[in-house]
Structures are given as C-alpha cells and as structure tokens.
Amino acid sequence: MQNNTAISQLIEAGKWVSQKGWVPATGGNFSSRTASGFVVTASGFDKGQLGTHTFIELDHEGNRIKGAGNPSAETQLHLGMYKLIPHANVVLHTHSVAATVLSRVIKSHTLNLSGYEMQKSLSGVTSHLDTLSIPIFENDQDIERLGLLLSDHHLHTPIEHAVLIRGHGVYVVGRNYKEALRHLEGLEFLFSCELERIKIEGIEANL
Ligand SMILES: [Zn+2]
C-alpha cells in the first residue's frame, strides 16, 4: 500500500466514523500498514477533519519516518497488532458509547455473541448460530503492559476481528480498508443490539 493512498483512505474513514459519533472529542486513532511500516493518526486532531498533516509515518519497529505531530500512546497497540496479526492491514480504534458501555456491563474477559444475522458481516462467520467471541482487556494507561496482555492472549487465542478495552472502546482489524470499515460497522451494530437485549432480558443470558 502506498502511503498517500493509505492516508487518503483513513481521512475518508475519519469523516464517516466521526459522523457516526464513534470518535468524540478527538478520541480514537486509525492506522494502515504500508510497505515501509504503517501510517497512523497523530494525537489530538478531530477525526472528522483529518488531513495529510495529521498523520505520522512509522517504520516496522515504530520509529518515526515522517510527520510532525505527536503519536498517541496507543500507537504502540497498533504496532503490536501489525506484528501479531498477519492479516491486519488496517486498524481502526474508536470510543463509541456501545463499545464503552457494553465492555463494562460484561464482567468476564470475553464478549460472546450468537443468534444475530449481522455476525455474518465479519469475515469467516457464516451463520448466526456461530459464537462470535471478542476478547475484553482491562483498560490500562500503561500501553506497554496492555500490549503484553494482548500478545499473551493472542498466543493461545488468535485475535481475528477485534478486541474490546473495558470502559474505553474497540480496536478493529481488517485485511483492507473496506473490510475494516465493514467489521467496525457490523460490530457496532452488534454491540448496540446486545446492549438493548441486556436491557430487556438482563445480563444473565450472556454469562
Ligand atoms: Zn482510545
């Protein structure tokens, strides 16, 4: 992937995700793997108004190649996901209400979803009867420690589509830009459905 193409796609993603209300108050960050490493949004910019000056280009080890802004601490998690997950070529991290609240309501370390047709919006899921499992990690301001937890988890349960950070948001991966957007939209729909279901049926049905 050319850096310019990757940045253009992420600028478009920012407009769309911002309109959805999933990245309030400059929250979240987006990245894309490139031939030389990856490009990532710099910290502190409204994701609905990204431009070429709001991106940093990093090499495969996370060293800055180009770009003047500050990388957010969470850039280390993007780097970690590119190292861990070969099929992750785009990573979108958002702070939606549904992801934030659902990851607090579910007390266990995994969100299990089943019975939803929209599970099929995630690559490899072919039936509503499948159980879609999304790991939930405790939020931590120490991103290196969080990254190690993610890495340990991936060794025994490979991360396929996404991870939730409790009370914080979701990291979604995709093989390409379109898949990452579809995974994000599909998961946000499912998170909202699950929250509504819990309000009506109670939490017990999920545990
Ligand atoms: Zn975040």
Side-chain angles (χ1 to χ4, degrees):
M1 170 76 66
Q2 291 278 327
N3 288 9
N4 289 347
T5 308
I7 288 171
S8 297
Q9 290 178 340
L10 294 178
I11 289 172
E12 285 307 305
K15 288 178 191 161
W16 180 74
V17 174
S18 184
Q19 282 171 1
K20 294 281 189 182
W22 298 338
V23 281
T26 76
N29 28 71
F30 312 141
S31 71
S32 185
R33 197 195 293 269
T34 62
S36 54
F38 65 107
V39 295
V40 64
T41 46
S43 181
F45 291 100
D46 183 329
K47 299 300 175 295
Q49 299 180 341
L50 296 173
T52 51
H53 64 291
T54 64
F55 285 86
I56 302 168
E57 299 177 27
L58 302 157
D59 68 15
H60 298 286
E61 294 304 317
N63 302 305
R64 183 196 300 257
I65 302 172
K66 199 174 159 190
N70 294 319
S72 82
E74 292 168 327
T75 297
Q76 290 304 312
L77 276 190
H78 290 250
L79 173 66
M81 293 178 106
Y82 289 127
K83 286 187 171 180
L84 286 175
I85 311 168
H87 68 261
N89 290 316
V90 173
V91 176
L92 303 175
H93 169 50
T94 58
H95 293 177
S96 70
V97 171
T100 300
V101 176
L102 185 60
S103 60
R104 294 189 63 176
V105 168
I106 304 296
K107 304 298 183 193
S108 70
H109 294 293
T110 310
L111 168 67
N112 291 315
L113 298 165
S114 64
Y116 294 111
E117 177 67 13
M118 276 293 285
Q119 290 168 222
K120 288 161 57 185
S121 63
L122 301 174
S123 295
V125 181
T126 56
S127 169
H128 65 288
L129 298 175
D130 291 354
T131 297
L132 175 64
S133 296
I134 308 292
I136 306 175
F137 296 91
E138 299 305 319
N139 196 21
D140 195 336
Q141 301 304 322
D142 186 332
I143 299 297
E144 197 175 328
R145 190 164 54 199
L146 185 54
L148 285 173
L149 281 179
L150 208 134
S151 171
D152 285 348
H153 173 89
H154 183 76
L155 286 177
H156 59 80
T157 311
I159 295 162
E160 185 67 25
H161 306 102
V163 302
L164 279 163
I165 311 293
R166 203 179 309 281
H168 180 159
V170 66
Y171 282 80
V172 169
V173 306
R175 284 169 181 77
N176 52 50
Y177 169 72
K178 280 192 172 174
E179 186 182 77
L181 289 182
R182 196 184 75 237
H183 283 174
L184 180 61
E185 190 171 27
L187 279 171
E188 288 291 351
F189 177 85
L190 291 166
F191 294 161
S192 296
C193 286
E194 190 64 359
L195 268 180
E196 290 300 316
R197 189 196 62 72
I198 289 169
K199 283 185 208 167
I200 296 164
E201 293 187 346
I203 189 78
E204 292 76 14
N206 185 275
L207 296 177

